[in-house]
Amino acid sequence: MAVEATKLDFDPDALGKKYQLERDKRVRSDGNEQYQEVKGDFAYFVEDPYIDNELQRDALEDEVEVVIIGGGFGGMLAAARLREAGIDDFKIIEKGGDFGGTWYWNRYPGASCDIESYVYFPLLEETNFVPKQKYTNAPETLEYCHIIAEKYNLYDNSVLQTEVTSTEWDEDAGRWIVSTNRQDRIKARYVVHSNGPLNRPKLPAMKGINDYKGHTFHTSRWDYNYTGGSSHGDLTGLKDKKVAIIGTGATAVQAVPHLGASAKELFVFQRTPSSIDERNNQATDPEWISTQEKGWQDKRRRNFESIMTGGMVKEDLVNDGWTEAFRLLFGSLRDKAPSKFQIFTWSLTSVASPKLYKNGFKQYMTDKVTAFMDLAKSMEIADYKKMEKVRARADAIVEDKETAEALKPYYRQFCKRPCFHDEYLSTFNLPNVTLVNTDGKGLEQMTEKGIVFEGKEYEVDCIIFATGFEVGTDYSRRAGYQIYGVDGLSVSDKWSGGLSTFHGMHSRGFPNAFFFGPAQSGFTATYTYSLDEQSIHLSHILSTAIKKGATRIEASEKAEKKWVETIIEKSRLTADFQEKCTPGYYNNEGQINPKPQNNMYGGGPIEFFGLMKKWRSKGNLEGLELN
Ligand code: NDP
């Protein structure tokens, strides 16, 4: 390492100390409690601003084989895979006015997806859809959701503008009773819970939120009636308005350039800066996409996620900012690999002198082991290199030195969601835009007129909360409904001491219920990839159960216990990394593993998908009790 360190143009030890310092000043004892729930006095923050006409209909008294809760990508994929398997008797219940989930709600100006569209959009080969650009935007994504819904005839099975209020298991009938806010009572043999991991907006528990007399909303319910314009920007309603935005996460990074371009004055309140790398979006080459061979999309998303989790691949197909940190790492590992000449020499010596060959090979293996022991260190160095480039970018683009410094992130790239944007940093050069750097402290107070920070009142006409979504709070609080299983046990009670599932999808005491999401499952940067894998898994289980004549599926106690132990054991693999990270929802606001079973599968998604594939290939649904 000493040799490598001399080649660096930064001091890794000094950076390590700086990272620690920045983290320490942000860790708070109240963790998730620093946020308040959007209910009661705050319920207006989650009203649906996108429906033209509220649906009027009678309550449903129905019975179906499968109820899918959630009409986002998860619910749509579940439905699509069930249709493919010949299971058509299902209903999708969705609280929004249409399909789309995250993309239905998040229509803020500039909203787009940072994951390459060719891997993010699921079912591209099935729909033959060609995204216009390498990185798509929210309108195109919502349009694509409608294309999927139409291709798989999902509108015929949809119950829109309807919120599930509870699901209760009736053991005698062998059915779930799904109740909704429209007094529906739908009986279903199976229920799929695909309610979205970032579904419930959250607000900082700031004093005086409801005293504020100006206009206010959360980014996931953008009020275009007030701002004018659209997801593409041009917010004409703001031309005479002073606007504040709280938060500088992935959402704010995309919205701020449009606010800066349109508002009379913009104050951006920052607690922790995001890492802002180049976007460099490009139009899709239709010839390239039309000449891809069958199975290309799965190969591509697998390649991407393999790189993202440190796997060795021959080629980086996506080749973008996400994978760059890992390319840097591979470069350093390749330096340690034997050269072609070395291999040639060994092959000669293996014939001429087995002893020499043995010694040479032994030496190589020793080097290799050392290299892998250095892996963690190499990854850290690669990360420092990457983040130094990100920080240099702030210096190069932002004219005011103090502002540039405040915009530099001092943490490892994957401690927070990395961002990619070509206009965010330069927005701070506009004369009407002010960065209010709270230097890790965050905001605590609002007044009738605006926001107070360190004794100064910022009077504004509008305050926009870009403060993210609940993660790590009680499952039913985030889902918005309770699940009552065998003997009336609620999922909140069962999981009050920590999550307990089999493969993240089943939980004993909740027969015929299927949970979609990252908890105790494989999590991917390309979230639609995990959802697609879960849909394939669901469809396999239901098809197999039908073939076997089973109607009740429940995780065995033994299998669930073993899976929880696996999750706990694997959570140690990521604990050290998370411990050193600045707080955020990625690391439970800095409170690492108080319940280690509340983690994702620590071996990474590719390993997890492999495990699930192997499990499916056995065909006996091992670990599930069928009746
Ligand atoms: P985040 O949770 O990432 O960001 C919330 C922001 O609010 C943070 O900057 C946070 O600061 C700040 N904040 C919270 N409390 C306070 C306070 N009291 N005072 C000041 N600031 C405060 O939410 P986002 O909506 O930005 O993103 C959520 C996720 O959605 C992303 O991580 C990503 O997964 C997804 N997404 C993806 C996009 C893409 O593909 N480009 C775009 C948008 C969202 P701090 O960092 O200090 O906690």
Side-chain angles (χ1 to χ4, degrees), residues 35 108 112-114 198 202 204 246-252 254 271-272 416-417 442-443 466-469 583 585:
Y35 297 106
Y108 58 85
S112 61
C113 184
D114 274 342
L198 298 171
K202 66 177 162 38
I246 305 177
T248 49
T251 297
Q254 296 180 334
R271 187 163 71 177
T272 308
K416 282 189 180 286
R417 170 86 178 198
L443 297 174
T467 45
F469 303 86
Y585 81 84

Side-chain angles (χ1 to χ4, degrees), residues 56-76:
Q56 303 295 330
R57 65 163 173 80
D58 294 333
L60 302 171
E61 283 281 340
D62 250 351
E63 179 154 353
V64 285
E65 271 299 284
V66 190
V67 157
I68 298 168
I69 303 176
F73 272 125
M76 288 192 293

Side-chain angles (χ1 to χ4, degrees), residues 389-442:
K389 277 173 75 177
V390 166
R391 288 186 282 266
R393 201 164 170 255
D395 273 334
I397 297 174
V398 181
E399 287 153 11
D400 177 68
K401 290 290 153 245
E402 200 182 323
T403 308
E405 197 52 43
L407 286 163
K408 291 181 189 171
Y410 283 96
Y411 47 79
R412 285 179 67 166
Q413 192 187 20
F414 293 100
C415 283
K416 282 189 180 286
R417 170 86 178 198
C419 300
F420 305 86
H421 210 288
D422 295 337
E423 287 88 34
Y424 177 73
L425 291 172
S426 57
T427 301
F428 294 95
N429 294 334
L430 297 175
N432 61 325
V433 178
T434 307
L435 178 74
V436 184
N437 179 24
T438 72
D439 194 21
K441 292 182 204 72

Side-chain angles (χ1 to χ4, degrees), residues 15-31:
L15 269 182
K17 282 189 189 125
K18 170 84 173 153
Y19 282 20
Q20 180 78 27
L21 198 81
E22 293 295 327
R23 172 203 171 270
D24 290 351
K25 73 182 176 200
R26 287 176 171 81
V27 173
R28 353 179 349 148
S29 56
D30 54 359

Side-chain angles (χ1 to χ4, degrees), residues 237-508:
L238 300 182
K239 66 176 187 302
D240 57 351
K241 300 282 189 295
K242 283 187 179 182
V243 178
I245 183 164
I246 305 177
T248 49
T251 297
V253 165
Q254 296 180 334
V256 159
H258 294 286
L259 291 170
S262 300
K264 181 178 162 205
E265 213 174 337
L266 174 69
F267 296 96
V268 180
F269 287 88
Q270 172 183 275
R271 187 163 71 177
T272 308
S274 281
S275 147
I276 318 287
D277 206 350
E278 279 174 13
R279 173 63 311 159
N280 193 18
N281 204 357
Q282 278 155 32
T284 302
D285 173 357
E287 203 190 310
W288 166 77
I289 212 160
S290 66
T291 51
Q292 296 298 305
E293 283 171 15
K294 195 172 179 314
W296 70 269
Q297 193 187 19
D298 197 46
K299 190 172 155 211
R300 195 173 181 89
R301 64 188 184 178
R302 200 179 163 76
N303 175 276
F304 179 69
E305 290 300 335
S306 299
I307 295 174
M308 296 293 295
T309 46
M312 294 286 186
V313 294
K314 280 198 197 120
E315 195 187 353
D316 177 358
L317 294 173
V318 170
N319 192 6
D320 70 359
W322 284 97
T323 54
E324 191 192 8
F326 292 92
R327 283 203 307 272
L328 286 168
L329 169 67
F330 290 154
S332 70
L333 288 181
R334 262 196 299 273
D335 292 344
K336 290 171 183 151
S339 64
K340 280 186 184 152
F341 178 72
Q342 246 178 321
I343 296 168
F344 176 66
T345 317
W346 289 339
S347 54
L348 283 184
T349 50
S350 69
V351 181
S353 162
K355 197 169 167 223
L356 265 181
Y357 165 71
K358 222 170 128 190
N359 287 345
F361 187 71
K362 213 169 134 194
Q363 186 58 48
Y364 163 65
M365 284 312 286
T366 313
D367 289 351
K368 201 169 165 172
V369 169
T370 315
F372 276 94
M373 277 165 51
D374 278 347
L375 184 69
K377 195 73 199 156
S378 302
M379 283 184 89
E380 195 170 26
I381 297 288
D383 203 304
Y384 285 146
K385 281 187 194 164
K386 173 80 208 170
M387 292 304 275
E388 281 288 281
K389 277 173 75 177
V390 166
R391 288 186 282 266
R393 201 164 170 255
D395 273 334
I397 297 174
V398 181
E399 287 153 11
D400 177 68
K401 290 290 153 245
E402 200 182 323
T403 308
E405 197 52 43
L407 286 163
K408 291 181 189 171
Y410 283 96
Y411 47 79
R412 285 179 67 166
Q413 192 187 20
F414 293 100
C415 283
K416 282 189 180 286
R417 170 86 178 198
C419 300
F420 305 86
H421 210 288
D422 295 337
E423 287 88 34
Y424 177 73
L425 291 172
S426 57
T427 301
F428 294 95
N429 294 334
L430 297 175
N432 61 325
V433 178
T434 307
L435 178 74
V436 184
N437 179 24
T438 72
D439 194 21
K441 292 182 204 72
L443 297 174
E444 286 175 359
Q445 202 183 344
M446 280 167 69
T447 61
E448 278 189 18
K449 293 181 180 162
I451 292 169
V452 177
F453 178 66
E454 290 191 330
K456 181 172 174 188
E457 187 176 34
Y458 294 81
E459 287 186 23
V460 286
D461 301 299
C462 175
I463 298 177
I464 301 167
F465 286 90
T467 45
F469 303 86
E470 287 197 20
V471 176
T473 51
D474 173 60
Y475 181 88
S476 65
R477 170 172 154 172
R478 276 176 287 133
Y481 58 89
Q482 188 55 274
I483 305 171
Y484 299 98
V486 174
D487 295 331
L489 175 73
S490 75
V491 86
S492 299
D493 281 341
K494 170 152 186 196
W495 292 345
S496 62
L499 271 174
S500 182
T501 75
F502 177 54
H503 295 166
M505 193 173 267
H506 317 263
S507 191
R508 187 161 177 81

